[in-house]
Amino acid sequence: MSGRIQAFITTMMTAISNCTLYSRDHASVDTLVKKAHDLLEEILEENSPLSVMIVDSDLVINKSPLKNPGTHGLNLMKKMKKKGITGIEFMKGINKNEILRFIADISEQGKKPGKYPHIKTGVIDVRLGGLQVGDDIDLDPDGLAAFRKEQVNKVRESFSTFSPFRKLHSSGLEEVVTNFIITFRREANILNLISPVRTYSEYTYTHATNVAVLSMFQAETLGADDNLLHDIGIAALLHDVGKLFISQEILEKKGTLVDEEWDEIRKHTLYGARYLATVDGLPRLAPIVALEHHLRYDGKGYPDLKREKKAQHLVSQIVAISDFFDALRSRRPYKRDWSIRDILVLLREGAGNEFNPDLVENFSRTVVTALKRG
Ligand SMILES: [Fe+2]
Ligand SMILES: [Fe+2]
């Protein structure tokens, strides 16, 4: 990528963050838009249009994938994914006003890009191996099974790239979240998007995926916008990441756990939160949910945060319900699996003490509707 294109991306991303921090009328935004316009005019003079695309997890500029997109390039990809766009084209003749409108639209939470005379934006077209999400995914049982399997595999791949000692690569997780958000729009039966757990070794990835689906679905029925759904999905996928810091020996122990072993398992909340707080580019919700998902509505649960009257975050309450539901319906060495109706009864028993009663009500209603649909 030429230095000028790099400079343009940096200027545009800085303008977008200043627009979010201050407003579109702020002097710094005006200066940056002017600079972006000057750079863009020079770039387009040489080669028009300038095309920016996301293909798989790469940023592709004028049809060539970037080996190292840099911080601003990565942020640009993240912004585009959040907005549901996979391609942008800037064309000759563009003026400052259009750039400002585009930057302001991108910086505003929940706002989709509009129409601009010299900027074209492409919509989501996420490829999953041979399967393409969107109008082409088959919603018959086989198509859905393939879709679910693909998502769980992506989560498995992403998880395998990180360890306590390595950096987290979250682009696979971003894709999974985006794919589910699109699929919700077409497949309203939540139970069809939940994956069965076949073997114990699959549990970690399948559970993470299912908790994300259930949490995003709850949030969607409560009216959350795409940006929030995205952040909830990422946070839910990572809620148990702290378990990577606990020895396999304890996690997979067949017999009864002794007190010290339970204490260690409970620490996955602290380990996860501490780890996620250090990872760049994750939603702020991720460490919060990792820390709080075993807290209870009545303030009990773990870890003991020694805080008074500070409520568990609403998203942690949502994830706690998804976590409970999926843990009970999946076979684990120390639990039997339950029928969905049994789990709903248990959830209702926990409403008001373990779980937020309004969320339990909303969740039960959604699941019961799904059950009736069959
Ligand atoms: Fe957990
Ligand atoms: Fe969990």
Side-chain angles (χ1 to χ4, degrees), residues 318-329:
I318 288 178
V319 171
I321 291 176
S322 311
D323 192 27
F324 179 84
F325 181 86
D326 189 64
L328 286 188
R329 58 159 288 295

Side-chain angles (χ1 to χ4, degrees), residues 4-54:
R4 257 199 309 241
I5 298 181
Q6 183 90 59
F8 167 67
I9 291 180
T10 304
T11 313
M12 182 171 68
M13 292 317 293
T14 317
I16 290 172
S17 39
N18 283 13
C19 220
T20 313
L21 279 175
Y22 312 114
S23 76
R24 59 185 289 165
D25 307 319
H26 195 268
S28 72
V29 176
D30 187 51
T31 314
L32 288 161
V33 166
K34 264 190 207 131
K35 189 175 166 198
H37 179 247
D38 289 348
L39 285 162
L40 199 51
E41 273 198 323
E42 287 173 32
I43 295 164
L44 296 172
E45 196 53 53
E46 242 167 56
N47 198 350
S48 177
L50 167 66
S51 94
V52 179
M53 283 195 301
I54 299 179

Side-chain angles (χ1 to χ4, degrees), residues 203 207 211 239-240 243 268 293-294 323-324 327 332:
Y203 179 74
H207 174 64
V211 170
H239 77 281
D240 270 338
K243 288 196 177 161
H268 77 275
H293 70 278
H294 289 287
D323 192 27
F324 179 84
R332 283 200 287 180

Side-chain angles (χ1 to χ4, degrees), residues 26-180:
H26 195 268
S28 72
V29 176
D30 187 51
T31 314
L32 288 161
V33 166
K34 264 190 207 131
K35 189 175 166 198
H37 179 247
D38 289 348
L39 285 162
L40 199 51
E41 273 198 323
E42 287 173 32
I43 295 164
L44 296 172
E45 196 53 53
E46 242 167 56
N47 198 350
S48 177
L50 167 66
S51 94
V52 179
M53 283 195 301
I54 299 179
V55 179
D56 293 328
S57 327
D58 288 327
L59 187 62
V60 178
I61 306 277
N62 288 341
K63 304 215 167 70
S64 51
L66 294 188
K67 279 202 192 75
N68 182 6
T71 320
H72 293 290
L74 289 173
N75 283 341
L76 172 62
M77 286 205 283
K78 218 175 277 168
K79 270 272 177 268
M80 287 169 69
K81 282 185 182 168
K82 273 199 175 186
K83 295 278 167 183
I85 37 184
T86 49
I88 311 172
E89 266 184 18
F90 299 93
M91 285 165 286
K92 224 172 163 169
I94 191 163
N95 63 38
K96 277 186 296 222
N97 210 3
E98 284 175 63
I99 300 180
L100 175 61
R101 267 206 301 129
F102 177 71
I103 283 173
D105 289 345
I106 295 291
S107 69
E108 198 176 317
Q109 280 251 343
K111 179 141 189 194
K112 293 273 172 226
K115 295 235 177 297
Y116 324 89
H118 300 90
I119 306 173
K120 265 203 285 186
T121 52
V123 285
I124 274 173
D125 170 20
V126 186
R127 293 195 170 271
L128 304 166
L131 198 70
Q132 191 177 334
V133 176
D135 292 339
D136 302 342
I137 171 185
D138 273 335
L139 295 180
D140 61 22
D142 287 349
L144 280 167
F147 172 76
R148 290 190 309 249
K149 209 166 151 199
E150 201 74 43
Q151 307 315 305
V152 174
N153 279 339
K154 274 179 196 292
V155 174
R156 184 203 316 267
E157 271 166 37
S158 284
F159 276 25
S160 70
T161 63
F162 64 87
S163 78
F165 315 103
R166 256 189 282 152
K167 247 188 102 198
L168 174 81
H169 291 281
S170 57
S171 60
L173 304 183
E174 301 270 351
E175 271 178 44
V176 171
V177 165
T178 313
N179 292 341
F180 277 118

Side-chain angles (χ1 to χ4, degrees), residues 88-365:
I88 311 172
E89 266 184 18
F90 299 93
M91 285 165 286
K92 224 172 163 169
I94 191 163
N95 63 38
K96 277 186 296 222
N97 210 3
E98 284 175 63
I99 300 180
L100 175 61
R101 267 206 301 129
F102 177 71
I103 283 173
D105 289 345
I106 295 291
S107 69
E108 198 176 317
Q109 280 251 343
K111 179 141 189 194
K112 293 273 172 226
K115 295 235 177 297
Y116 324 89
H118 300 90
I119 306 173
K120 265 203 285 186
T121 52
V123 285
I124 274 173
D125 170 20
V126 186
R127 293 195 170 271
L128 304 166
L131 198 70
Q132 191 177 334
V133 176
D135 292 339
D136 302 342
I137 171 185
D138 273 335
L139 295 180
D140 61 22
D142 287 349
L144 280 167
F147 172 76
R148 290 190 309 249
K149 209 166 151 199
E150 201 74 43
Q151 307 315 305
V152 174
N153 279 339
K154 274 179 196 292
V155 174
R156 184 203 316 267
E157 271 166 37
S158 284
F159 276 25
S160 70
T161 63
F162 64 87
S163 78
F165 315 103
R166 256 189 282 152
K167 247 188 102 198
L168 174 81
H169 291 281
S170 57
S171 60
L173 304 183
E174 301 270 351
E175 271 178 44
V176 171
V177 165
T178 313
N179 292 341
F180 277 118
I181 295 176
I182 307 165
T183 315
F184 286 160
R185 308 274 136 84
R186 302 192 48 228
E187 172 55 55
N189 188 341
I190 179 67
L191 298 174
N192 286 339
L193 295 173
I194 300 294
S195 302
V197 179
R198 287 186 199 89
T199 64
Y200 183 75
S201 61
E202 278 180 11
Y203 179 74
T204 310
Y205 321 107
T206 315
H207 174 64
T209 313
N210 288 344
V211 170
V213 173
L214 290 162
S215 303
M216 287 192 285
F217 205 81
Q218 288 186 66
E220 168 142 73
T221 58
L222 295 167
D225 67 17
D226 285 2
N227 287 315
L228 185 56
L229 286 185
H230 166 274
D231 288 1
I232 292 174
I234 297 286
L237 279 171
L238 295 168
H239 77 281
D240 270 338
V241 91
K243 288 196 177 161
L244 293 176
F245 297 76
I246 294 171
S247 77
Q248 287 302 97
E249 215 181 300
I250 299 185
L251 287 177
E252 291 174 14
K253 186 174 170 183
K254 295 271 182 328
T256 328
L257 297 173
V258 298
D259 285 355
E260 294 75 47
E261 290 167 335
W262 272 121
D263 285 346
E264 178 63 7
I265 287 200
R266 289 191 179 108
K267 282 193 190 145
H268 77 275
T269 49
L270 295 165
Y271 296 152
R274 209 176 290 156
Y275 173 63
L276 295 174
T278 65
V279 179
D280 287 342
L282 285 182
R284 265 173 37 84
L285 274 175
I288 295 175
V289 166
L291 185 71
E292 295 186 344
H293 70 278
H294 289 287
L295 285 182
R296 297 165 38 126
Y297 183 68
D298 59 12
K300 296 181 187 154
Y302 66 87
D304 181 2
L305 297 176
K306 304 215 171 19
R307 59 186 184 189
E308 280 166 35
K309 295 200 181 95
K310 191 156 187 305
Q312 184 187 17
H313 196 291
L314 185 70
V315 174
S316 305
Q317 296 177 348
I318 288 178
V319 171
I321 291 176
S322 311
D323 192 27
F324 179 84
F325 181 86
D326 189 64
L328 286 188
R329 58 159 288 295
S330 315
R331 211 180 286 275
R332 283 200 287 180
Y334 45 93
K335 291 258 161 57
R336 75 173 176 97
D337 56 340
W338 301 73
S339 82
I340 288 174
R341 288 191 192 277
D342 288 347
I343 303 173
L344 291 183
V345 171
L346 288 176
L347 257 179
R348 288 211 180 98
E349 277 170 19
N353 43 65
E354 198 167 343
F355 306 112
N356 177 325
D358 295 328
L359 292 179
V360 168
E361 189 45 44
N362 179 62
F363 182 81
S364 308
R365 210 181 310 130

